[in-house]
Amino acid sequence: VRQAKKIARFYGEQDELELAFNLHFLRLHLRAPDFKKLVAETYAAFKGPDWPVWTGSNHDEPGRFSSRWAAGDERKIRCIQLLLLTLKGTPVLYYGDEIGLQNAFVPPWRMKDPWGLKYFPIFAGRDRMRTPMAWRVAEGAGFTKPGVRPWLPYGKLESWNVTEQSADENSILNFIKSLISFRKGSLDLKLGEYQLLPTIDSVWAWRRGDKTLIYINMSNFHHEVDIPHGRIEVATVLNLVGEEVGESVTLPPWSGIIVVER
């Protein structure tokens, strides 16, 4: 509660900051109860039109969310993308989040970050989440001309690059494109209020606006959830998209759906 109220103070009486990162959000463990609690506290602390900002990665915090929270697990990466784009507030994707880009290994002799240079090996520094964008598997990675040495080394380019993911309809990149497209056309997701729905601890579910519901199974087990009659419009598991649902749905481990009520 204290952290949420501290962030809210930066907005003043709608006369100071218009948007402020909730950095405490980045420091949570990937557990549904922790997220439910912090998000509820944030909304309770904000007044009137004050608007939160949600992000899972930035250039200062200890690692990209695909590494810090998901450890490279594509299921978890999609769940994190889903929650970021469906909470009430402004979502921010740090470059590379859209393809699940992970922290890169930066050897000590290539470090640039003053913190890393000062505290290595106790602290590996922030260079690992500041490495070049992975556009394709090729010399220069599509980031520089071939033969040009970038400021920092590239991470692993195989599969975690824009070109290959663009061609794969089931890729992380195409998933978040569909999610962004749906959000743009949904007044509920752009402006609707957030209402937490009752579930077991490891499932996070909420309503946005009049008829949009989000369910995320943040566990290693299948869970059945109660769902009103509607249609699954977006899902982290591609074959669930378009399914008509009612009464209940079984969510696979680390999966999420957006349901629009009929």
Side-chain angles (χ1 to χ4, degrees), residues 69-140:
W69 280 336
D73 187 329
E74 290 193 23
R75 302 171 305 165
K76 295 180 180 180
I77 292 171
R78 292 168 196 256
C79 287
I80 296 162
Q81 291 176 336
L82 182 65
L83 70 87
L84 287 173
L85 270 290
T86 55
L87 288 171
K88 177 189 172 183
T90 297
V92 174
L93 294 174
Y94 184 55
Y95 83 96
D97 284 350
E98 69 275 28
I99 61 170
L101 195 63
Q102 297 179 60
N103 294 342
F105 171 70
V106 179
W109 56 90
R110 292 291 305 273
M111 283 185 180
K112 304 295 181 184
D113 177 24
W115 287 6
L117 292 170
K118 183 174 182 179
Y119 295 110
F120 184 84
I122 299 172
F123 176 57
R126 298 166 294 182
D127 291 326
R128 53 191 171 155
M129 54 271 206
R130 299 176 176 181
T131 53
M133 181 62 180
W135 293 102
R136 59 177 178 266
V137 180
E139 188 178 0

Side-chain angles (χ1 to χ4, degrees), residues 1 4-5 8 37-48 88 194:
V1 176
K5 289 182 177 179
K37 182 174 184 291
L38 178 65
V39 168
E41 290 172 351
T42 300
Y43 291 141
F46 280 38
K47 300 175 183 177
K88 177 189 172 183
Y194 167 95

Side-chain angles (χ1 to χ4, degrees), residues 31-249:
R31 295 193 296 254
D34 295 356
F35 279 84
K36 293 177 191 180
K37 182 174 184 291
L38 178 65
V39 168
E41 290 172 351
T42 300
Y43 291 141
F46 280 38
K47 300 175 183 177
D50 289 349
W51 197 249
V53 183
W54 307 109
T55 188
S57 311
N58 71 19
H59 70 287
D60 269 334
E61 291 302 308
R64 295 177 173 276
F65 75 65
S66 54
S67 293
R68 186 184 71 256
W69 280 336
D73 187 329
E74 290 193 23
R75 302 171 305 165
K76 295 180 180 180
I77 292 171
R78 292 168 196 256
C79 287
I80 296 162
Q81 291 176 336
L82 182 65
L83 70 87
L84 287 173
L85 270 290
T86 55
L87 288 171
K88 177 189 172 183
T90 297
V92 174
L93 294 174
Y94 184 55
Y95 83 96
D97 284 350
E98 69 275 28
I99 61 170
L101 195 63
Q102 297 179 60
N103 294 342
F105 171 70
V106 179
W109 56 90
R110 292 291 305 273
M111 283 185 180
K112 304 295 181 184
D113 177 24
W115 287 6
L117 292 170
K118 183 174 182 179
Y119 295 110
F120 184 84
I122 299 172
F123 176 57
R126 298 166 294 182
D127 291 326
R128 53 191 171 155
M129 54 271 206
R130 299 176 176 181
T131 53
M133 181 62 180
W135 293 102
R136 59 177 178 266
V137 180
E139 188 178 0
F143 183 81
T144 67
K145 294 180 179 179
V148 176
R149 189 188 194 199
W151 177 254
L152 290 168
Y154 303 106
K156 294 180 179 179
L157 300 178
E158 294 76 12
S159 75
W160 305 100
N161 68 81
V162 173
T163 301
E164 291 187 17
Q165 290 199 22
S166 295
D168 179 1
E169 68 173 8
N170 198 33
S171 68
I172 292 171
L173 176 60
N174 280 317
F175 167 70
I176 200 163
K177 282 183 177 180
S178 68
L179 181 54
I180 291 171
S181 176
F182 180 77
R183 178 188 169 90
K184 283 183 176 180
S186 170
L187 283 177
D188 280 351
L189 289 186
K190 287 191 286 189
L191 300 173
E193 292 299 317
Y194 167 95
Q195 177 189 353
L196 183 66
L197 299 175
T199 59
I200 62 171
D201 283 348
S202 56
V203 174
W204 187 11
W206 63 95
R207 176 185 292 274
R208 290 292 311 282
D210 294 331
K211 58 181 181 179
T212 303
L213 304 103
I214 298 91
Y215 300 82
I216 304 179
N217 178 5
M218 301 175 69
S219 78
N220 295 320
F221 304 95
H222 287 77
H223 286 296
E224 186 176 32
V225 294
D226 295 330
I227 287 184
H229 289 278
R231 184 177 188 271
I232 298 177
E233 299 292 347
V234 179
T236 61
V237 180
L238 190 61
N239 62 10
L240 293 178
V241 176
E243 185 175 321
E244 297 288 337
V245 295
E247 296 185 357
S248 67
V249 167

